[in-house]
């Protein structure tokens, strides 16, 4: 995974520096890089993913989904309104079904060359488990079919791509808005890493970089309401009865903005560090951007490594600046994810 990410970092840095310090919107580059990362995780390391028509379509579909699922959609609250908003819903169903068709085609092709002794990607690994547990088209004793297991590719390629892209877009925005924070990350890189490749194991010795990522996730958690859940039995919470079958939505946004955080709307990575400059564990646990409990995001470790590698590697090679004359709006857009409004950055190459 690290190898794939490092290749993606090279693409990001090349695309950023190619702009010759002129203002540009990093959205497309970031979406393609994080998309390519998860795509290669699911379907195997590809030499030139960006020439794959299916991949490009997949990225495009994601941006359209984002438009359709913005908050303020009346059918979310009043489902009968779906009869009035048919066009929008049809578009939504079409995109979902195209994604499914494309995934099925891809998986079928990859399985033609499946070799149990050579695990090339997530599809192979899932297939090896399907064989091991003898899963087929009919549900087994716990109700699981082969297609349920292969469906995990759908969960991973969707949930594993968009939130990471949005989290990295927030980070780029914050380091451009707060040059002092950026400078401190670069000092940490110079002191602990120098010119060599950044690796995930560097996370341990880079508390300021880690604190910046945590602060960005606290203030601009990309999944503010997580996924809808459902009470499986009657339960009392703080004296309130929640009836079996009730849809339950967690408000992670409110956790990140609770008064327990001093100056809660300020961007201050230092709040995660103790007096010795080390990360404060209990504060980290109070950031619930990956949710908690059994349905916590299964990609959290991967995502944290991904964000660290992207941020540290890009700042090792690039200086990110806010363009003169541009004011950033740090309020984001609520959709399936919470993401920043379009913004531009200027990028200067760094040599040290
Ligand atoms: C910054 C990046 C990410 C954030 C903030 C994030 C956050 C979340 C949150 C809040 C949930 C919902 C938990 C709930 O309310 O039930 C979730 C679910 C999920 N995430 Fe992530 N995620 C990220 C990256 C990833 C990655 C990289 C992967 C996989 C490679 C991934 C895979 C999933 C899956 C499969 C689910 C559904 C789990 C279930 O239904 O139990 N996520 N994520």
């Amino acid at each position: 995974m690290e190898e794939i990410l490092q290749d993606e970092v090279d693409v990001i840095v090349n695309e950023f520096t190619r702009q010759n310090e002129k203002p540009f919107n990093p959205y497309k580059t970031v979406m393609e890089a994080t998309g390519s990362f998860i795509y290669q995780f699911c379907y195997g390391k590809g030499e030139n993913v960006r020439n794959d028509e299916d991949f490009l379509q997949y990225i495009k579909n994601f941006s359209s989904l984002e438009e359709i699922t913005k908050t303020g959609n009346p059918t979310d609250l009043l489902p009968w309104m779906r009869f009035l908003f048919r066009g929008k819903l049809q578009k939504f169903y079409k995109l979902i079904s195209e994604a499914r068709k494309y995934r099925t085609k891809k998986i079928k092709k990859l399985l033609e060359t499946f070799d149990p002794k050579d695990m090339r990607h997530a599809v192979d690994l899932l297939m090896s488990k399907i064989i091991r547990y003898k899963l087929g088209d009919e549900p087994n004793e716990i109700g699981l079919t082969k297609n349920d297991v292969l469906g995990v590719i759908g969960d991973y390629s969707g949930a594993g791509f968009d939130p990471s892209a949005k989290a990295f877009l927030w980070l780029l925005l914050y380091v451009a808005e707060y040059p002092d924070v950026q400078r401190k990350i670069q000092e940490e890189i110079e002191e602990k890493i120098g010119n060599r490749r950044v690796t995930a194991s560097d996370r341990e010795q880079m508390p300021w970089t880690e604190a910046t990522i945590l602060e960005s996730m606290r203030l601009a958690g990309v999944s503010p309401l997580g996924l809808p859940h459902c009470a499986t039995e009657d339960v009392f919470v703080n004296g309130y009865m929640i009836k079996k079958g009730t849809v339950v939505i967690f408000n992670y946004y409110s956790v990140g903005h609770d008064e327990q955080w001093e100056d809660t709307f300020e961007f201050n990575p230092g709040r995660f560090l103790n007096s010795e400059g080390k990360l404060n564990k209990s504060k980290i646990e109070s950031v619930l951007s990956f949710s908690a409990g059994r349905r916590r995001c299964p990609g959290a470790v991967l995502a944290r490594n991904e964000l660290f590698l992207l941020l540290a590697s890009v700042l090792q090679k690039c200086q990110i600046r806010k363009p003169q004359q541009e004011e950033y709006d740090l309020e984001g857009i609520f959709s399936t994810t919470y993401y920043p409004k379009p913004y531009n950055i200027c990028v200067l190459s760094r040599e040290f």
Side-chain angles (χ1 to χ4, degrees), residues 38 41 155-156 159-161 163-164 167 217 222-223 225-227 229 250 252 288-291 294-300 302-303 306-307:
I38 206 73
F41 169 78
D155 296 341
Y156 270 51
F161 146 56
S164 305
M217 299 195 79
V222 295
S223 186
L225 303 178
L227 298 170
H229 289 265
F250 294 92
Y252 305 118
L288 287 190
S289 20
F290 292 104
S291 177
R294 281 211 287 185
R295 298 303 288 269
R296 183 173 191 263
C297 171
L302 182 63
E306 186 182 1
L307 290 177

Side-chain angles (χ1 to χ4, degrees), residues 143-298:
L144 211 56
T145 65
K146 176 180 166 185
N147 276 343
D148 292 335
V149 174
L150 286 175
V152 169
I153 290 293
D155 296 341
Y156 270 51
S157 51
F161 146 56
D162 199 40
S164 305
K166 302 302 166 41
F168 188 53
L169 283 168
W170 277 115
L171 275 166
L172 288 175
L173 179 68
Y174 282 129
V175 295
E177 177 71 11
Y178 300 104
D180 287 354
V181 170
Q182 181 174 171
R183 189 179 41 76
K184 281 191 179 179
I185 296 176
Q186 282 161 339
E187 281 169 8
E188 210 168 55
I189 295 168
E190 281 166 33
E191 192 191 329
K192 307 281 175 43
I193 299 177
N195 279 324
R196 72 162 165 80
R197 279 261 190 211
V198 181
T199 65
S201 57
D202 290 320
R203 274 179 66 189
E204 272 171 44
Q205 45 162 1
M206 310 266 291
W208 182 261
T209 311
E210 282 284 274
T212 305
I213 296 171
L214 286 162
E215 178 66 343
S216 171
M217 299 195 79
R218 176 191 75 81
L219 204 50
V222 295
S223 186
L225 303 178
L227 298 170
H229 289 265
C230 183
T232 50
E233 53 190 65
D234 291 354
V235 60
F236 273 102
V237 177
N238 278 352
Y240 291 94
M241 160 66 120
I242 300 184
K243 282 230 161 265
K244 179 177 174 176
T246 308
V247 174
V248 179
I249 295 172
F250 294 92
N251 189 349
Y252 305 118
Y253 182 89
S254 81
V255 180
H257 296 80
D258 190 84
E259 308 165 340
Q260 64 152 325
W261 306 100
E262 223 170 278
D263 298 323
T264 181
F265 287 94
E266 304 244 309
F267 186 78
N268 171 19
R271 68 173 85 240
F272 286 97
L273 302 176
N274 63 21
S275 54
E276 293 160 23
K278 297 210 169 99
L279 283 170
N280 184 330
K281 200 157 174 275
S282 68
K283 290 245 167 96
I284 299 175
E285 281 161 7
S286 306
V287 179
L288 287 190
S289 20
F290 292 104
S291 177
R294 281 211 287 185
R295 298 303 288 269
R296 183 173 191 263
C297 171

Side-chain angles (χ1 to χ4, degrees), residues 31-42:
M31 288 290 275
E32 283 185 4
T34 49
S36 165
F37 169 64
I38 206 73
Y39 184 93
Q40 295 183 64
F41 169 78
C42 292

Side-chain angles (χ1 to χ4, degrees), residues 26 38 47 52 67 73 77 89 111 117 126 200 208 212 214 254 261 268 293 305 333:
I38 206 73
E47 289 301 312
D52 181 337
E67 267 304 306
N73 184 353
L77 295 172
L89 275 175
L111 289 180
K117 288 189 225 79
L126 292 174
W208 182 261
T212 305
L214 286 162
S254 81
W261 306 100
N268 171 19
N305 281 339
I333 298 171

